[in-house]
Amino acid sequence: MNAGIAQLQMQFRDYTISLYQQGFLDDQFTELKKLQDDGSPDFVAEVLLLFFEDCVKLIGNMARALDKSTGTVDFSQVGASVHQLKGSSSSVGAKRVKGLCVTFKEYCEAQNYEGCVRCLQQVDIEYKTLKTKLQDMFNLEKQIVQAGGVVPQVDID
Amino acid sequence: MAKKPLFFFLILCGSMVIVVLLMFSRFGRSKEETGSCNGEARVLYKHQNVTRSEIHALVSLFSDSDQVTSFECRKESSPGMWASYGITCALNMRLEKHETTESFHGRRVAAQCFIPDGELPLDLNPSDLSHSISSAAHMCDNLEQSLEQPKEHKNVEEGLDWDLLSYLRNTWWCLILGILVCHRIFVFHSKTPRERQEKVYLQEPLAQKKQQQCSQTNSRGAGKWRKNILLLGVIAGVSLSVWWFWDTNEEIILKRRETLENMCDERARVLQDQFNVSLNHVHALSILVSTFHHGKTPSAIDQKTFGEYTERTNFERPLTSGVAYALKVPHLKREQFEKEHGWTIKKMETEDQTLVQDCVPENFDPAPIQDEYAPVIFAQETVSHIVSVDMMSGEEDRENILRARASGKGVLTSPFKLLKSNHLGVVLTFAVYDANLPLDATEEQRIEATIGYLGASYDMPSLVEKLLHQLASKQTIAVDVYDTTNASGLIKMYGSDIGDISEQHISSLDFGDPSRKHEMHCRFKHKLPIPWTAIIPSGLVLVITFLVGYIFNEALTRIATVEEDCQKMRELKARAEAADVAKSQFLATVSHEIRTPMNGVLGMLKLLMDTDLDVKQMDYAQTAHGSGKDLISLINEVLDQAKIESGRLELENVPFDMRFVLDNVSSLLSGKANEKGIELAVYVSRQVPDIVVGDSCRFRQIITNLVGNSIKFTQDKGHIFISVHLADEVKEPLNIEDAVLKQRLALGCSEPGETVSGFPAVNALRSWSHFKTFYSNESHNSDKIKLLVTVEDTGVGIPVDAQGRIFTPFMQADSSTSRTYGGTGIGLSISKRLVELMQGEMGFVSEPGIGSTFSFTGVFGKAEANSSIAKLERFDLAIQEFKGLRALVIDNRNIRAEVTSYHLRRLGISVDIASSLRMACTSVSKLGNLAMVLIENDVWNKKDFAVLDELLTGSKETSARVPKFLLLATSATLVESSEMKSSGLIDEVVIKPLRMSVLICCLQETLVNGKKRQPRKRRNLGRLIREKQILVVDDNLVNRRVAEGALKKYGAIVTCVESGKAALAMLKPPHNFDACFMDLQMPEMDGFEATRRIRDLERRINKKIASGEVSAEMFSKFNSWHVPILAMTADVIQATNEECMKCGMDGYVSKPFEEEVLYTAVARFFESC
């Protein structure tokens, strides 16, 4: 049993580190985790949920704004959404999404339609990937907790 | 605008010259005129030998005796006019046909005389008067001419002259005025766009090109305009000069003509006068004949008497060559007559007049038979040969006789060659009538009454010659006299061919015979001289014009070039400024942009170093990390430099504890110093107040920089000594109490043994003397203090040739320095600028091989007595604990001992100093109740210590306290010191550099042994913001949640809103929020705008509270509302920061939150609560 927990913990640690190393997450996620304590046990999950909801909404917005069939492309609308998304992603430490948002924003300011569309697709893929990865991580956490273990603090530095 | 005074000066000069010339010419002219007039008058009086009264008498005589003509001459003095010169002439002419005209003219003359012409009195001078009077003696034609013509002429001319003068002056003033106005306009026009442009330069570098072009065309246009004006001016000058010449020349010619006229008229009049006088004499002779020859019977005159009489009275008729009397003999009486006289009437021989000299009347043929004869009966001796010649037989004479008796006046013949003399001459014939002829007799009656004829021959050439001899300026004038009775053929009676015929004046002569006309033609003998008076002034004007034109042209060219240069320079300046701004912006941007990824690099390197690395890899990673850190600090420095250069850096003014800052610095740098084995010492004079007001960060930066440099350039030995004094302390060298300073001033150069480490160092004194503001007693501001900070090291020193440039950015002592010691050389430059911002100066002295000493001054504010900053509490506690204790410092170096005692004094411990253990032994007995003994490592001596130990512990067995022994050691001697400690010889080892915290720790450990201090609660964020009401404004849900979570974690009560508007509503006073975190970029109303509005709102409420409109209670706790608003921003760049401050925010935190950042930002606001 203990060995199982240890293994899970090990797995969790490795997985988390890999997320950092692959650039999905950054320090801000660590900070976020620090904020989670007994007072708000599901803080991270809650924030992430909000973030992903935000993502769905904003990406939807941008997709509509970039839809040529409706007529003109509203770059300012896209820009506003990208900015929002960038803010959110930097708050939760979704590093890759944030990086994409930066590029996206530049395209948007340059009114580069092709670039925008490409970025939008990438952002879509990226946030979904992140979501999956984080879900995996939470699952691992849950398993550890269910197994009666303690979720280890992963020190990235 | 240096051209302006030049311009005015030139105009002034020009106008002055012109005015002077005008006055000169005018003055000269008037003088000339008066002169000439007076001259004429004199001539008249002299040569005519007549005065007014004489003429008057003569006229009255004539009118009385003869009844031929009658004049009435009245003299009137008219009051208020030109006094007694007013003359009214009323002329009554007997000749009816002339009467009306004459009187009319006369009246006109009178009228003209009465013209009140106060301005020109020379109009009416005696010459005019005498003209008029002398003319009055003659015929009315002359009178009219002489009185009216010259007068009118003169009047007009003078008036014209006057008009011209004033006109000229007016024109000149107008011209000046015009030029001034033009100049003003020009200045205005050329100035305004430039000013406008200059403003634009600074604000809009983009628009400047356009503006420049505009201004260029402007100035070019202005230049052209000026050139045109100059050209106009020159043309005007030239035309003025030409006009002047023409005018003056014309005047000269006019005057010459006038002179000619005057002279001619004068000559004509004189001739007339003389002729008339002699005519009168002949007339008188005729009366004589009629009286004595015909009126008496027998006749009282015979040929002999007549000849004699006439000969003797010839002086009265100087112009006549001879007179003769012929009797009217009708044919019927011829025989009787011939019989009576004994000769026959002979015919005049006109054919052979050449032989007139030896003609004998007897040879003449007897006169042919005619109706009547006029045989000469009496003749002057000179013409006695014509006795018995019949005058009627000569063609001329006959006609003359007929006319004479018909008119009753003297009648002249046309000129003919006189008998004998062969000169041209005229014969004057008077008829002699019966005495009983009535006054108004008809022609027939006259003819009837005629009894004889008196003839006189005039020799014209001699007459004129004689006359002209009497007159002045006969040399200059040539005179011709013509008989013009026959209009087609002029007969020249007198004259020569010399002279300039082009200008001649014709005066008519009247010899009293209306049927004969004579003229006098006058001309100058010499041609008109070159009119220098006209040429010189006009030439001067021309020259001046050209000179002024040239000067102006030069000036304009110069102005143009200068303007062009100025333009170029302005352009270059603008470009340079733009480049500078661009540089600073670029630096700021690039620095910022580099910092962000560098943080990534550093973070990653840190991570890397935490992983399992072998030694080599670790070394590489550490090197990379170190380099990255250096890079970051360099970038920060560059940012500082850029900020200072662009003047954006402003110093804070907050109270701080200088000693604490120095402690910080020394603790920060102690690691490095210890590594190198350098002793680091800090000393602050007692006179320096605990708390000063200034920018602690910048002060710290300067100190860190200097000390960092010193550490860098000091090799494994010696010391670095930071000392702070008041500048005033140094000013009065005699009253120095401070031991450290005293030592410094006393010695020219610190000698070995007198520095902290014993190694020689350069005395800072020399650099102080270079400070300009140091010794000056300027504005002794009571709330400001000037600090003098000195950092002394025993490093390599700065080469003498490099000392001049070490404050230049990026200049190190030499290029090898950076290779050997690293660094960029920007630190000193920044420090110097920072010092300058603190109104101080920085200087140094350095000697290669010995070391360098940097000094700087800085002005700080004195903190108000009650505004103590939050001193760290634990220190306060410690100080309470240590207060009143006594310590003995045993150190062989005075300064080092002073430094140690300074630190002990800070804790309230009183200090005694002994220079060695032995000395301490002797003094220790005197010092009772010692709490501790601090022994410098250098003086440690086991033997002596044993004595001292014995002394202290042994003697004080009874006392409760045994002094603790502390050893002062550097890190280099740490090992042996630790051994000593463990061996129980000493109680504690204090590692230098000394600083308060270290000292407190050590002392507490030794003195308060065993008494466990209560672990103090960490002052963390939680305490600060627990239970605080905080408003978070962010449109981003995720961000909001994160912020909320972060703040809640520290116990704050968080309220979230999602827009600026909502925030506005929440923060409308009264409210309960203690702080607000505001996102900047929000739709609708962004953070800036929301903050501005909130501040507005607060201001209004505060005003109301202040004015008592609203009670403060109603708005709860505060008297004035000011909720701290902190911006939340993702990109922390300077511009955003400034913008935040501008719109009333109190600070900013970077997003996403980090504990430290949040703490520092919030600490400011909640610490006081």
Side-chain angles (χ1 to χ4, degrees), chain B residues 1002-1064:
Chain B
C1002 291
L1003 291 182
Q1004 271 176 343
E1005 262 178 50
T1006 46
L1007 294 178
V1008 202
N1009 226 354
K1011 246 199 249 168
K1012 267 281 165 207
R1013 282 162 53 235
Q1014 276 192 334
R1016 293 190 65 83
K1017 242 194 205 168
R1018 220 184 123 221
R1019 265 178 96 99
N1020 58 18
L1021 195 60
R1023 259 196 66 187
L1024 273 178
I1025 64 174
R1026 191 175 299 278
E1027 306 294 314
K1028 300 282 189 219
Q1029 289 273 1
I1030 290 174
L1031 182 71
V1032 171
V1033 189
D1034 197 327
D1035 63 317
N1036 191 318
L1037 183 64
V1038 180
N1039 286 354
R1040 210 155 60 219
R1041 188 68 193 88
V1042 173
E1044 186 190 349
L1047 290 167
K1048 263 190 179 158
K1049 191 187 168 198
Y1050 297 114
I1053 304 157
V1054 182
T1055 316
C1056 291
V1057 289
E1058 54 176 8
S1059 75
K1061 272 186 182 167
L1064 203 56

Side-chain angles (χ1 to χ4, degrees), chain B residues 797-811:
Chain B
I798 303 161
V800 179
D801 58 330
Q803 287 186 4
R805 56 168 192 266
I806 65 155
F807 288 126
T808 319
F810 303 107
M811 281 278 205

Side-chain angles (χ1 to χ4, degrees), chain B residues 594-610:
Chain B
I594 292 172
R595 248 189 331 184
T596 319
M598 266 318 284
N599 282 328
V601 171
L602 288 180
M604 279 300 131
L605 280 171
K606 198 90 186 158
L607 283 182
L608 185 66
M609 285 192 287
D610 288 346

